[in-house]
């Protein structure tokens, strides 16, 4: 049984999540990524296979499924 690297919790759920990746000088949002999510703190973990799949997909520079405008705040 694996442990959450953030909080040490051992309960996870499988979920599809979205994540922002920084590629060169722009950001892309990837949706429907299968992830293991910590039920306690929400930390998302992707398998090495999933991470590699996303990198590969983004390297291919395929046209995105859709585009969204994003507001950016500095804290
Ligand atoms: Zn956690």
């Amino acid at each position: 049984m694996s442990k959450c690297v953030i909080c040490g919790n051992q309960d996870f759920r499988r979920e599809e999540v979205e994540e922002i990746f920084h590629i060169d000088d722009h950001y892309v949002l990837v949706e429907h990524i299968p992830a293991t999510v910590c039920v306690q703190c929400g930390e998302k973990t992707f398998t090495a296979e999933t991470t590699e799949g996303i990198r590969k997909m983004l390297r291919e520079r395929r046209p995105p499924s859709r585009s969204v405008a994003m507001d950016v705040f500095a804290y």
Side-chain angles (χ1 to χ4, degrees), residues 21-24 26 28 30 48-64:
F21 294 87
H22 191 196
I23 305 293
D24 298 333
H26 66 283
V28 297
V30 180
E49 193 184 10
T50 300
T51 307
E52 186 48 41
I54 293 167
R55 283 213 191 96
K56 196 169 166 234
M57 183 180 79
L58 296 178
R59 266 201 310 266
E60 286 171 4
R61 300 214 167 262
R62 277 188 264 162

Side-chain angles (χ1 to χ4, degrees), residues 3-9 11-12 38-43:
K3 257 188 180 178
C4 174
V5 293
I6 304 298
C7 71
N9 170 50
D11 286 328
F12 299 91
C38 172
V39 296
Q40 194 162 288
C41 74
E43 171 71 6

